[in-house]
């Protein structure tokens, strides 16, 4: 497996891990260390891009920072928030820039005018990117350069002054109902599609700029802008306070993962997008470039587990409502992935006019996987229904009706081949992970039937679960007793680390232990885990790829399950050390360079992080409790 080519070191594209992530739970933005917004889509996170310099250096950007310095002295989030602070040492002075997507008080009074389907809260997105700056020492030349390129860089509109003179310009993309307005207390000049400003700041001086696209009026003074930023920070901290995060040295990772998952949640529907971006490559310069701005059903179980574990029950129930709404509407035609608004058609297109991140092409929008057959979807649904029922201690008629239908679908199709959890673009096969999740569907269905006291169905579905398990054990193991990727191969697959996590067999079963340890040894590169060896398990695409971070975190959880606690802790610490400077994760990591690959930030990775970290913490606490009990026996406290 090759590391990232050396010529990328001088690339004009910032490393993926260096981007800061902002969200208002409707729109997301990625900001490069230079202070340039290089990815933002409007009017929601899966819409056409307005800034896409991340995928083509000429596809729109919005820089706000010092004139002649592009490498900051420091970057961080204000603790417990999605407000990004960048500190600049400019030689003769220092600047502090703060960026956020504004969240303010709820203002809607007419439901038909919005897209919200979930219960209203006290907060709502104000549809505004706000940037403030303060000169803390000396004197610094500040510049602002905003050049949107609408519709993925295919269209540019000229700015026009409004009645606020030099302090506001506006542009309306053709065919859209919204207008983009740039407001600042710095005088703005325009040159076609570019809006620019420059001013000298001295110690104590402050300025702001706000890019807005909704009906909420932008701030007109720095004081107003500062108050909106404080309100946004208060919202994030107020939200975080509802959680139940353990007091542990890894709490910062859990906190940032929770905030990232919330940031990838589309508030109007409760859906969780898999990532904020499209076409960030899994292979440097390669073609494994996909659009992840959609909601995958297989993420549901991990999402609910993670959210319930950390105490964010409202978000878990909103996501559950999104899933069950799709179940009711789709019935037998249930897909593996949907738009964040529930859209079914996610037709895939290539944008040939874009250069691609570091030349990785094609750039894709949409995702053809929505049309694939993936039999694991029923297990994800049933496990989600079961987790929800456990959290409620109640199984209502509506959920039971949905559960029955999905179990029936799983039992009708579990013997058929499919494209598997990794969405291979080759011939369907009898993937072990798909059979495993069909077992989950039957097993969880039987448990729900017992809760309903429906003994007939419970017995029928339990017998089906036993049949599926026997089929897997008979057809999916090699001569070592290790479970393999599919029935026609001896290749390994990291998705089978889910076996102990979903309780397919007891963790001390020799086959489970052998599978976990074989994956740990044979799919590891520099200690991190590949999802499979591409040369052994063809996936219909050329080239290799990095290690999948979710698989590395799955291994932590699986090692903990089989009692390899020291190994689990050490691996968890190693993976956490690969976090971005802002504690974010992409989909993959090049194990030699540590460079992040794939779409960013990745929800599934942060969900697996929560699961892995909580496995380690729980063992540490249980070990400490037992040690205290042992000590007490030897030397009771007086």
């Amino acid at each position: 497996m090759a590391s990232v080519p050396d010529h990328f070191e001088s690339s004009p594209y910032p490393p993926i891990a260096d981007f800061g992530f902002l969200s208002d739970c409707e729109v997301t933005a990625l900001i490069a260390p230079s202070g340039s917004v290089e990815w933002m889509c409007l009017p929601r996170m899966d819409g056409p891009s307005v800034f896409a310099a991340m995928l083509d250096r000429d596809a729109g950007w919005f820089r706000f920072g010092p004139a002649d310095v592009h490498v900051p002295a420091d970057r961080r989030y204000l603790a417990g928030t999605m407000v990004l602070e960048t500190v600049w040492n400019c030689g003769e002075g220092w600047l502090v820039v703060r960026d956020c997507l504004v969240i303010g008080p709820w203002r809607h009074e007419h439901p038909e005018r919005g897209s919200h389907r979930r219960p209203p809260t006290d907060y709502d997105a104000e549809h505004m990117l706000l940037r403030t700056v303060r000169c803390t020492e000396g004197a610094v030349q500040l510049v602002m350069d905003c050049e949107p390129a609408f519709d993925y860089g295919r269209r540019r509109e000229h700015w026009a002054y409004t009645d606020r003179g030099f302090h506001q310009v506006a542009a309306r993309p053709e065919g859209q109902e919204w207008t983009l307005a740039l407001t600042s207390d710095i005088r703005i000049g325009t040159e076609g599609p570019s809006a620019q400003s420059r001013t000298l700041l001295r110690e104590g001086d402050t300025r702001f700029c706000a890019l807005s696209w909704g009906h909420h009026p932008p701030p007109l003074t720095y004081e107003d802008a500062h108050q909106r930023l404080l309100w946004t920070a208060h919202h994030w901290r107020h939200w975080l306070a509802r959680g139940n995060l353990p007091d542990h040295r890894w709490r910062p990772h859990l906190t940032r993962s929770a905030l990232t998952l919330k940031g990838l949640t589309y508030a109007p529907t409760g859906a969780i997008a898999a990532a904020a971006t499209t076409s960030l490559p899994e292979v440097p310069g390669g073609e494994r470039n996909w659009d992840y701005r959609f909601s995958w059903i297989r993420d549901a179980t991990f999402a609910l587990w993670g959210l319930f574990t950390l105490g964010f029950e409202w978000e878990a129930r909103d996501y559950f409502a999104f899933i069950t709404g799709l179940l009711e509407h789709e019935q037998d035609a249930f897909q593996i992935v949907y738009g964040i608004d529930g859209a079914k058609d996610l037709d895939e297109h290539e944008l040939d006019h874009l250069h691609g991140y570091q030349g990785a092409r094609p750039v894709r929008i949409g995702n053809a996987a929505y049309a694939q057959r993936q039999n694991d979807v029923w297990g994800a649904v049933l496990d989600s229904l079961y987790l929800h029922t456990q959290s409620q201690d109640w199984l209502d008629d509506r959920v039971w009706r949905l559960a029955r239908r999905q179990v029936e679908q799983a039992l009708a199709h579990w013997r058929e081949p499919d494209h598997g959890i990794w969405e291979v673009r080759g011939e369907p096969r009898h993937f072990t992970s798909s059979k495993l999740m069909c077992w989950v569907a039957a097993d969880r269905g039987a448990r729900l039937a017992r809760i309903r006291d429906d003994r007939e169905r419970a017995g029928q579905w339990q017998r089906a679960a036993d049949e599926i398990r026997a089929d897997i054990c008979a057809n999916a193991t090699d001569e070592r007793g290790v479970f393999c990727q599919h029935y026609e191969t001896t290749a390994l697959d990291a998705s089978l680390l889910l076996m102990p996590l979903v309780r397919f067999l007891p963790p001390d079963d020799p086959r489970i232990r052998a599978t976990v340890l074989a994956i740990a040894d044979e799919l590891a590169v520099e200690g991190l885990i590949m999802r499979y060896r591409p040369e052994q398990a063809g996936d219909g695409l050329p080239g290799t790829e990095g290690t999948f971070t979710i698989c590395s975190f799955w291994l932590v959880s699986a090692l903990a399950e089989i009692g390899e606690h020291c190994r689990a802790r050490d691996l968890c610490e190693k993976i956490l050390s690969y976090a971005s400077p802002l504690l974010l994760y992409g989909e993959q990591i090049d194990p030699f360079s540590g460079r992040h690959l794939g779409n960013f930030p990745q929800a599934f990775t942060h969900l697996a992080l929560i699961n892995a970290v909580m496995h380690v913490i729980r063992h540490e606490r249980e070990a400490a409790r037992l040690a205290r009990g042992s000590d007490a026996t030897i030397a009771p406290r007086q």
Side-chain angles (χ1 to χ4, degrees), residues 28-48:
T28 60
L30 293 180
I31 303 182
S34 65
S36 177
V37 179
E38 297 199 354
W39 181 254
M40 191 169 83
C41 301
L42 296 180
R44 62 189 199 193
M45 60 181 75
D46 64 343

Side-chain angles (χ1 to χ4, degrees), residues 309-634:
T309 297
L310 297 183
F312 298 108
E313 295 187 0
W314 293 352
E315 285 68 28
R317 289 168 185 163
D318 282 348
Y319 188 41
F320 181 79
F322 174 73
I323 298 295
T324 54
L326 292 173
L327 285 172
E328 285 186 316
H329 185 263
E330 295 293 281
Q331 297 185 7
D332 296 349
F334 201 51
Q335 297 178 183
I336 64 163
V337 58
Y338 289 86
I340 55 175
D341 62 347
K344 295 175 57 177
D345 296 328
L346 309 178
D347 292 336
E348 189 174 294
H349 304 282
E350 296 182 1
L351 303 181
D352 295 333
H353 65 285
L354 293 178
H355 176 261
Y357 177 82
Q358 292 184 336
R361 302 182 69 188
V363 173
R364 295 180 171 95
I365 56 173
N367 198 307
Y370 83 95
Q372 284 189 350
R373 162 70 67 84
Q374 293 180 24
N375 296 339
D376 63 346
V377 67
W378 297 299
V381 167
L382 262 296
D383 213 16
S384 299
L385 297 179
Y386 181 67
L387 283 171
H388 175 78
T389 300
Q390 283 188 310
S391 74
Q392 298 289 302
D393 197 26
W394 172 254
L395 177 56
D396 61 40
D397 290 340
R398 174 173 173 263
V399 172
W400 175 233
R401 192 166 55 249
L402 296 173
R404 292 201 310 264
R405 187 62 193 151
Q406 295 307 307
V407 174
E408 291 166 0
Q409 287 291 300
L411 297 185
H413 297 288
W414 74 267
R415 293 180 179 85
E416 300 170 3
D418 71 337
H419 290 92
I421 186 174
W422 305 124
E423 299 171 0
V424 299
R425 300 206 170 188
E427 290 299 316
R429 300 177 185 229
H430 291 279
F431 286 101
T432 307
S433 62
S434 298
K435 310 289 187 189
L436 169 70
M437 295 310 290
C438 286
W439 172 85
V440 169
D443 177 80
R444 299 324 187 248
R447 297 187 195 192
L448 293 173
R450 286 191 282 271
I451 292 173
R452 290 286 296 196
D453 201 25
D454 188 334
R455 297 183 181 180
E456 181 178 352
R457 279 196 176 89
Q460 175 189 345
W461 291 347
Q462 188 60 60
R463 287 190 294 274
D466 293 342
E467 180 185 1
I468 297 171
R469 179 160 54 194
D471 190 78
I472 293 172
C473 291
N475 294 291
T477 56
D478 63 13
E479 68 280 358
R480 302 176 295 173
V482 171
F483 289 102
C484 301
Q485 184 181 58
H486 58 80
Y487 283 9
E488 296 83 29
T489 187
T490 57
L492 296 179
D493 191 309
S495 66
L496 301 182
L497 293 168
L498 295 175
M499 282 183 156
L501 305 186
V502 299
R503 306 295 187 257
F504 176 71
L505 290 170
D508 59 355
D509 187 287
R511 292 163 294 185
I512 292 294
R513 184 173 179 82
T515 300
V516 172
L517 295 179
I519 291 171
D521 294 338
E522 298 171 35
L523 290 185
V525 181
E526 298 293 311
L528 302 181
I529 303 302
M530 302 181 68
R531 54 181 181 168
Y532 48 74
R533 296 276 181 183
E535 67 275 12
Q536 295 177 355
D539 55 15
L541 293 167
T544 184
E545 58 189 16
T547 59
F548 263 61
T549 313
I550 185 174
C551 297
S552 298
F553 280 125
W554 281 348
L555 179 57
V556 172
S557 299
L559 287 169
E561 288 284 343
I562 66 171
E564 295 284 338
H565 296 293
C566 291
R567 193 169 177 180
R569 183 198 61 223
D570 292 346
L571 177 59
C572 193
E573 193 131 37
K574 180 182 182 74
I575 309 166
L576 294 178
S577 73
Y578 282 94
S580 83
L582 296 171
L583 300 187
L584 301 172
Y585 284 90
E587 183 179 35
Q588 301 183 29
I589 294 173
D590 180 278
F592 301 103
S593 68
R595 189 181 291 269
H596 287 230
L597 301 168
N599 286 306
F600 184 87
Q602 182 90 356
F604 214 177
T605 301
H606 284 277
L607 289 167
L609 181 155
I610 293 170
N611 189 295
V613 166
M614 292 304 296
H615 265 88
V616 174
I617 290 176
R618 285 175 177 173
H619 171 71
E620 287 182 353
R621 290 185 169 181
E622 179 63 17
R625 185 187 68 79
L626 293 174
R628 287 194 300 270
S630 176
D631 291 344
T633 302
I634 297 171

Side-chain angles (χ1 to χ4, degrees), residues 70-83:
H70 288 77
V71 179
D74 190 28
R75 296 170 86 212
R76 62 169 187 142
Y77 286 106
L78 297 189
T81 78
M82 200 74 79
V83 178

